[in-house]
Amino acid sequence: MRAEPSLPRHHLPPDRLAELVRGEGGPETLDLLLGGERSRRLLLLRMLDDATDLGPAWDLLSQAQRRAPQVVDDLLMYPQTGMWLTTALRRLRGRTPMDEPPLWVELGHMSALAAAAALRAEFDFAIEVPVRHGRVPLPTLGCAVLPETEPWTRATVRAEGGRAVIEAAGAEVALPPTSGSAGPGWHPVRRLTVGARGRRLDIVLDDVDPYRTYPQPTEPRPLSGEAAAQWRRMLEQAWELLLREQPETAEAMRRGVFSLTPTPAGERFRPRSVSAGDAFGGVEASEPDDAVQLAVTLVHEFQHTKLGGLLHLTPLLTHDFDRGKELWYAPWRNDPRPLEGLLQGIYAFVGITRFWREHRKAAPAQTAMAHFEFALWRAHVATAMEQVHRHPRLTPLGTALLDTLRDHCAQWLAEPVPEEPLALAHLCADDHVARWRAHHRRPAAPAVDRAVRAWLDGASGPPGVLATEPEVVPDPSARWLDSLAMLVRHRLSGADDDRISLDGPEKAAARVSGALTGDALLAAGDATAARHAYVAHLAAEPSPAGAWAGLGRALATAGTEPRAARLLCHHPERAHAVHQALLGVTDSPPDPIRLATWLGSPPA
């Protein structure tokens, strides 16, 4: 490729940096981040060329750059190119334990990239590219399907006199002369344009590039025409909503969101979306329930994109190896998170909170749900930030960012929310942190043993040592800690078939993975029935940690058994650990409420 005389030095002026610190960032700020990303990609490409012989692919890409530099720049800045570059470099350094695809296929993606550039630059060439299980993906263009003879082989991409073909093993796929057109054996990348003139979002619906899924590559899986049309409809509606309710964010997205990778729909109200710092501008998302959910997903991942771009220019944390293994409560996750991951989540969910704050003003048909989401996420974000406010690893910029977001959140917490959605949001926020503690806070074994002996000896209360704050020990079985919030969303959705009926809590719970009958009753507002359901569940299956947290919330809501309620709401891990230990030494497990009441008594 043509060498630049010198790489630019990138910096963010104070006003642009201030936008990002507030969790915002307009088009000009995005352009500055993109400039930094472009230099980073060029450096990664040079590092890859230094580490291995890219040979004909490098030469072909250089020729394309001389003829059509904008085409090569577009390919360079494509999110999947960034993902491929870092994946290939990690594999060369032995940092990615992958068996498939073979390394030569990984590195051969450079040839596919060069072929795509040459095809778009419209000149004659021929080059060998990898075949992946019978498919030949060409970045930003599409994917050819050839007869599969073996998982990993090679094909030739050839262009001559305006005709382009991909050929291997006696088979040939001709590329349609018009970009974006389908043809026999050829699946084009779909380019979607939504919105009115001057406010359009141009985005690639990428279902074929191997590096479209983050963090691990996957083989091409072309969408059906019907599925692609559904994604277009959803995107059109989501974009219209963002233009109407979040115009500044939407304008910035036009500069910083380039590709959308569709994945199959998940459980209702539980969308899955992913982005990656190495794939600036790329979003991977499951098929949404509706346009509002897709709009939230785009806001969520765009926040990650902006923060990722900022982190490529300047750090928010120091590298303190003594503290690098600290793990924290992230209200949007099932697992404990390192500080770096927690900051990413805080930044993303500040954006989500801001979305719901505006949406509740503009969506009268969904007011209860919007109020609930706003109240829930502002509480979650506040909880997350309070844990790490003024953490010693924060750089001055990291401190400023967290202080600013914390101030915004404090203002949001003062905004009025109607009583019912506010109460439900507090219920779900408190329940989530209690379930997380029940799974991931582990009291010291000696303290648990002393508590067991004290219980068996008939002591008036537990030993004081049990009150020592337990360490975080990740529990890999922790899943679906948000089940109560999912049930509340079903309740607030308004559809008759989604209303939680007190006559059928088991059926209601069955709609939500990980939900217990007690959860359904609690979400429906029957705390007394929920209490009995949790006790029955613990008698039949004593191990689920979440049932202890749910029982505490039911007792607190009903206003009964205050000592047990307080203990289980704030320290369910003590009841869970002591109960499990007692099961190992007694034939009959203790009554959960009686045990929790004892554990909540003053130390003996």
Side-chain angles (χ1 to χ4, degrees), residues 262-573:
T263 60
E267 187 176 303
R268 191 173 182 200
F269 298 119
R270 274 183 173 146
R272 177 186 177 274
S273 64
V274 187
S275 55
D278 295 323
F280 187 99
V283 175
E284 178 187 350
S286 59
E287 182 180 334
D289 298 341
D290 53 34
V292 174
Q293 190 179 89
L294 181 55
V296 173
T297 294
L298 291 173
V299 168
H300 178 177
E301 300 306 338
F302 187 52
Q303 288 291 103
H304 284 305
T305 292
K306 290 185 294 184
L307 188 61
L310 175 62
L311 289 171
H312 285 161
L313 296 176
T314 184
L316 299 180
L317 297 170
T318 62
H319 295 287
D320 187 337
F321 294 103
D322 291 336
R323 293 180 174 269
K325 295 183 179 180
E326 289 179 326
L327 295 173
W328 303 90
Y329 168 59
W332 35 84
R333 298 276 301 212
N334 293 318
D335 55 334
R337 298 293 288 158
L339 184 55
E340 292 83 353
L342 184 63
L343 286 181
Q344 280 280 356
I346 288 170
Y347 200 80
F349 282 92
V350 161
I352 286 179
T353 307
R354 184 181 288 118
F355 172 91
W356 286 112
R357 178 176 181 263
E358 297 304 315
H359 187 63
R360 69 193 188 123
K361 304 174 186 176
Q366 299 174 326
T367 300
M369 181 77 84
H371 282 311
F372 167 76
E373 297 289 1
F374 171 64
L376 177 66
W377 293 116
R378 71 180 182 179
H380 278 334
V381 169
T383 297
M385 286 195 286
E386 286 306 312
Q387 297 178 100
V388 295
H389 182 238
R390 301 292 179 179
H391 192 284
R393 281 190 63 201
L394 289 165
T395 64
L397 179 60
T399 298
L401 182 142
L402 206 56
D403 284 348
T404 303
L405 298 183
R406 189 165 170 260
D407 289 343
H408 279 305
C409 195
Q411 295 173 22
W412 294 340
L413 287 167
E415 294 185 12
V417 173
E419 183 178 350
E420 183 185 21
L422 180 63
L424 289 170
H426 286 164
L427 175 73
C428 294
D430 292 342
D431 179 76
H432 191 279
V433 69
R435 290 178 192 241
W436 187 92
R437 287 190 66 98
H439 278 283
H440 301 299
R441 287 286 186 184
R442 185 173 299 175
V448 172
D449 291 342
R450 287 182 59 182
V452 167
R453 288 196 299 271
W455 169 269
L456 295 175
D457 291 342
S460 61
V465 68
L466 192 64
T468 303
E469 182 68 1
E471 64 178 330
V472 175
V473 180
D475 176 4
S477 73
R479 301 180 68 189
W480 303 307
L481 303 189
D482 60 352
S483 294
L484 186 61
M486 295 299 117
L487 288 161
V488 167
R489 290 183 175 105
H490 278 273
R491 170 182 167 180
L492 295 176
S493 66
D496 290 340
D497 60 345
D498 282 326
R499 290 190 178 280
I500 297 176
S501 169
L502 298 182
D503 297 326
E506 294 87 358
K507 184 177 179 180
R511 295 192 184 112
V512 175
S513 296
L516 305 175
T517 300
D519 299 335
L521 290 163
L522 190 58
D526 192 340
T528 300
R531 163 191 168 154
H532 294 304
Y534 286 125
V535 170
H537 190 88
L538 287 167
E541 190 179 349
S543 59
W548 290 99
L551 176 58
R553 201 59 48 199
L555 294 175
T557 303
T560 60
E561 311 291 350
R563 281 187 179 176
R566 188 165 49 252
L567 184 283
L568 292 176
C569 285
H570 298 287
H571 301 287
E573 70 279 0

Side-chain angles (χ1 to χ4, degrees), residues 190-211:
R190 296 175 175 88
R191 293 182 176 270
L192 307 183
T193 299
V194 295
R197 184 183 298 274
R199 306 178 77 194
R200 289 175 178 166
L201 175 69
D202 295 308
I203 194 169
V204 174
L205 188 66
D206 196 337
D207 52 356
V208 295
D209 194 298
Y211 301 93

Side-chain angles (χ1 to χ4, degrees), residues 152-178:
W152 314 105
T153 183
R154 291 177 174 84
T156 299
V157 182
R158 189 185 314 277
E160 186 174 0
R163 181 174 183 269
V165 298
I166 300 175
E167 53 193 14
E172 180 181 282
V173 172
L175 274 64
T178 304

